[in-house]
Every structure is written in structure tokens, then in C-alpha cells.
Amino acid sequence: MNGPLPFLVVAPLAFASALLMTPILVKIARSTGYLDHPDPRKSHAEPTPLLGGVAVALALLLAAMLARTFFSVPFAVPRPGFFIGAALSLGMGLLDDRRPMPPLGKLAGQLAAALCLVLWGPQVEWIRASPLTLAAAIVGVVALLNAINFLDAMDGIVGATVPITAAGFVAIGLLHHAPVDLILAWGLVGAGAGFLVYNAPPARIFLGDAGSHFLGFALAALTLQALQGPATTPHVAAVALLLGYPLFDVIFVIVVRLVGGRPIYVGGVDHTTHRLGRRSGKWGALGIVAVAVTLNVCLGVFVWGLSDPQPLIAAVLISGLGYTIFGAYLGRIGPTP
């Protein structure tokens, strides 16, 4: 669906729905015990509700229903793999939020959601044409689920990252006619921004593992949708740039933990956002991350339409060099707990 209508209808509806649903889920979380309790590895001092991901998911559904019912916004129903995978991601996260799952159990759930999306979601023929590319896509979806889950380590970070990234997918859909589901993309922009009102520092509600996995799955769905056309280097590079900061954060954390001789799956306050927070405070870290994500998204939108390899290589090298320098700077902030 092209044109300004998704912006005029779906995003504001999703924003308003998130504003409405989030306080309700705060009360439900408190009454059912879905709370994140203080811990030496965490920065909050009071038990905080964990059902923010459910609020975002409900806001997306409500916005789509309202847009179709009252504004006659036409949209194609996603393939079954999207709904099954999204439900698996959300449900697995809800279980983990209630009682932490073992790492292998969580990985099994992530793999199941990834298989649903890759095999029964968007029809990306060049990915399905080879067992190697199929396996790479499944690994990529799992990596993105973990990247958003890792990034959700400080108030407001994912709440800001997801709307900006989704706006990048909207841009390549509108400017370059990429086969992106603009209803989903605009819905993420609006719902993420509405949730951020309650998740900005100091957060009154967290996404929880349910929310971070669900949003990671939604971004993975947009990525596969965008790649449904012919396989081109600019398109693959563009989506990698759009997702640059979450991927940078998870790679940084993995490297730091491996170098420090600590298990990758054991949580800690060693993320990029934690380190930024030590120097700049929570609002400073949120601002820096938002700027970094925006710059990468702009590069991704620029790269999508390129045919000349030289500016493409230059854009990727600029982003890679920038994150390398940034990572070296963050590595000096510590020591890592």
C-alpha cells in the first residue's frame, strides 16, 4: 500500500492505542505478579511491570482493525508463518518473564519462531533456493531476536530504536517501492512511540522478554518482506544498515563476554547502553543511541537505491568504521561488572 494514508491513519491509531493499552497492562502486571524485581544487575529500585510487549502487540492489532473498519484501509493479511511465529515469540517471552527459561529452551523457542517466519512467512525465493541461504536466514532471525533482547537493557532504548528502524522500512517502501508491509511498519512506528511515553526514563513499565522477542520478530518480518525481490548487494547491505545498532550491541556484548571468559547467555551490565549510561546518564544514552540508529537508517535508505558500487562500499565502510571506533571507546568504560 503506497501513499501517505498509512502515515495519516495507522501510525496515529497505533500511537493512541499504545497510550490507551499500556496503563491497562501496568495494572494487569501488578495484579498478576508480572514484575521485574530489583537485582544487582539491574538499575531500577522498585518492582516494575513486565507486560509492555503485550501492550505493543495489542496496539498493533487494534490499530489495524480500527484502520480497516473505520477508514477502509485495505491491507493484505500476512501469511500464517508470521502470526504463528509472532505468537511463539510473545508466548515464549511471557513464560520466560514469569520463570526464567534455560538457555537451550529459549534457543529452541527462538528457532521455532524463526522457522515459522522463514518457511511460512514472506516468500523470499532466493533465500529458499539454497539450503545455505535458508540456514543463514534462520540464523539471522534468531540473531535479531537476541539482538533486540540484548538491547532491551535500559529504559527507553528499544522503545526508541524500533520506531526509528521501522520508519526506515517505511522509507524504502515509499521511496524505493520495496515490498514492505507498510501497515506493520507504520504500526511499529506509532505503537513504539506510544509505548515510549511510559518506557522513557524512569520507566513505568518494561517490554520484558515477551516484548523484546516480539519486536525483534516484527523487525525480522519487515526485513524478509523487503528482500522478497531479486537478491542484490545494495538491498542486503541496506537492511543490514537499518538494523546496524542492535547488531552492533549484540556483537559487542558477545566479544566482551568471550574475552572476559564469561558465558554469553549470563546477563550483566556490560551492554553498550550500560556503558553509555555511566558516562551520560540514561537520557544521554537514549539520545546517543537514537542518533546512531537514525544515522544508520539514513545510510540504509540511501544505499537501497544505489547501483554504483563505490558509494555503496563507502557507506558500509563508514558505518563499520564508526562502530569500530565507538566500540573501542565503549570498551574503555568500565571495568565490566
Side-chain angles (χ1 to χ4, degrees):
M1 179 179 175
N2 295 316
L5 190 57
F7 170 73
L8 295 174
V9 175
V10 177
L13 285 174
F15 180 82
S17 298
L19 286 180
L20 173 68
M21 297 302 304
T22 305
I24 297 173
L25 268 297
V26 168
K27 294 181 179 180
I28 293 174
R30 293 196 183 280
S31 64
T32 57
Y34 261 97
L35 302 173
D36 191 356
H37 294 277
D39 182 273
R41 297 185 291 106
K42 301 171 183 177
S43 59
H44 58 286
E46 300 291 336
T48 304
L50 275 173
L51 293 179
V54 177
V56 173
L58 290 176
L60 287 172
L61 284 174
L62 184 58
M65 292 170 58
L66 291 174
R68 184 171 188 175
T69 302
F70 295 104
F71 298 93
S72 301
V73 176
F75 61 88
V77 177
R79 291 174 57 82
F82 172 81
F83 288 111
I84 298 171
L88 281 173
S89 299
L90 191 66
M92 177 192 63
L94 286 171
L95 290 175
D96 193 49
D97 286 331
R98 173 63 80 177
R99 181 174 298 175
M101 299 173 63
L104 288 179
K106 186 181 290 189
L107 179 61
Q110 292 169 344
L111 282 170
L115 283 167
C116 288
L117 184 62
V118 174
L119 295 179
W120 303 300
Q123 299 286 318
V124 190
E125 298 302 332
W126 64 269
I127 286 179
R128 301 184 185 193
S130 160
L132 184 61
T133 53
L134 190 65
I138 293 169
V139 171
V141 173
V142 172
L144 187 54
L145 293 179
N146 281 290
I148 300 300
N149 184 236
F150 273 40
L151 191 62
D152 188 30
M154 183 175 287
D155 299 353
I157 297 295
V158 172
T161 298
V162 168
I164 297 170
T165 305
F169 281 102
V170 169
I172 63 172
L174 294 178
L175 297 176
H176 302 298
H177 307 293
V180 173
D181 182 352
L182 292 179
I183 301 298
L184 174 60
W186 275 125
L188 286 173
V189 173
F195 175 73
L196 183 59
V197 172
Y198 303 96
N199 186 237
R204 287 170 276 175
I205 184 172
F206 295 153
L207 283 167
D209 271 16
S212 60
H213 278 87
F214 174 78
L215 289 174
F217 183 87
L219 290 180
L222 288 176
T223 299
L224 288 179
Q225 289 171 358
L227 295 176
Q228 286 179 101
T232 69
T233 301
H235 293 176
V236 174
V239 295
L241 288 168
L242 290 175
L243 302 169
Y245 196 93
L247 297 178
F248 161 70
D249 179 76
V250 73
I251 291 170
F252 178 89
V253 172
I254 289 172
V255 170
V256 165
R257 291 179 183 176
L258 289 176
V259 171
R262 295 185 297 118
I264 295 171
Y265 54 83
V266 176
V269 286
D270 52 0
H271 296 252
T272 60
T273 51
H274 290 129
R275 294 165 185 259
L276 286 171
R278 291 181 204 139
R279 287 286 174 89
S280 307
K282 288 186 177 181
W283 278 104
L286 179 58
I288 292 169
V289 171
V291 169
V293 173
T294 301
L295 290 174
N296 248 64
V297 164
C298 291
L299 276 177
V301 175
F302 168 72
V303 160
W304 183 277
L306 293 179
S307 56
D308 188 342
Q310 291 183 346
L312 169 62
I313 294 171
V316 173
L317 287 177
I318 288 170
S319 180
L321 180 60
Y323 278 126
T324 300
I325 296 171
F326 191 31
Y329 165 74
L330 292 174
R332 294 178 175 273
I333 303 175
T336 302

